[in-house]
Amino acid sequence: MSYAAFLLILFLKPPNRLFAAWTRPDGDKRPAVLVAVLVGAFSGLLFVPWFTDYFGLTEAADPVFRTVLPALVVWFLVLTAAYRSRVLERALGLGSLTGAGRAPAA
């Protein structure tokens, strides 16, 4: 969950087109630096036993990273595809609210 939350920062303030699924990239690299620092610090602290015990986290183990990191990549790809193809807007019928195809008010 923490890694997914870190990745969401890049969706909110996309530094480049890779993360710009629902908005334009603004070119600001600070969110990417923040995410890199958070991922590095969190990953490093997973190897400190008192940190994992205090916060109730699973210790850094090879099976955890072999499961979590590929799942995070799949989640990123699915979320990006859903945003770019506007799946949620079409499912909720919000496409007609943009003004396209509506008759002018009399």
Side-chain angles (χ1 to χ4, degrees):
M1 296 279 297
S2 297
Y3 289 114
F6 300 151
L7 192 60
L8 277 177
I9 294 171
L10 297 176
F11 275 109
L12 295 174
K13 290 287 282 182
N16 56 37
R17 288 195 61 213
L18 177 67
F19 295 99
W22 66 281
T23 186
R24 292 191 175 129
D26 62 0
D28 188 6
K29 302 295 183 205
R30 290 178 294 174
V33 171
L34 173 66
V35 169
V37 169
L38 287 172
V39 166
F42 185 75
S43 297
L45 287 173
L46 284 178
F47 293 98
V48 179
W50 65 264
F51 180 79
T52 56
D53 291 341
Y54 182 77
F55 288 103
L57 302 171
T58 59
E59 294 179 3
D62 197 31
V64 171
F65 284 107
R66 275 190 272 153
T67 304
V68 170
L69 295 180
L72 189 61
V73 170
V74 169
W75 172 78
F76 168 75
L77 294 173
V78 168
L79 186 62
T80 300
Y83 272 125
R84 289 189 178 163
S85 63
R86 303 186 182 275
V87 170
L88 186 60
E89 292 170 2
R90 287 187 291 158
L92 295 175
L94 298 177
S96 62
L97 296 178
T98 60
R102 297 170 88 188

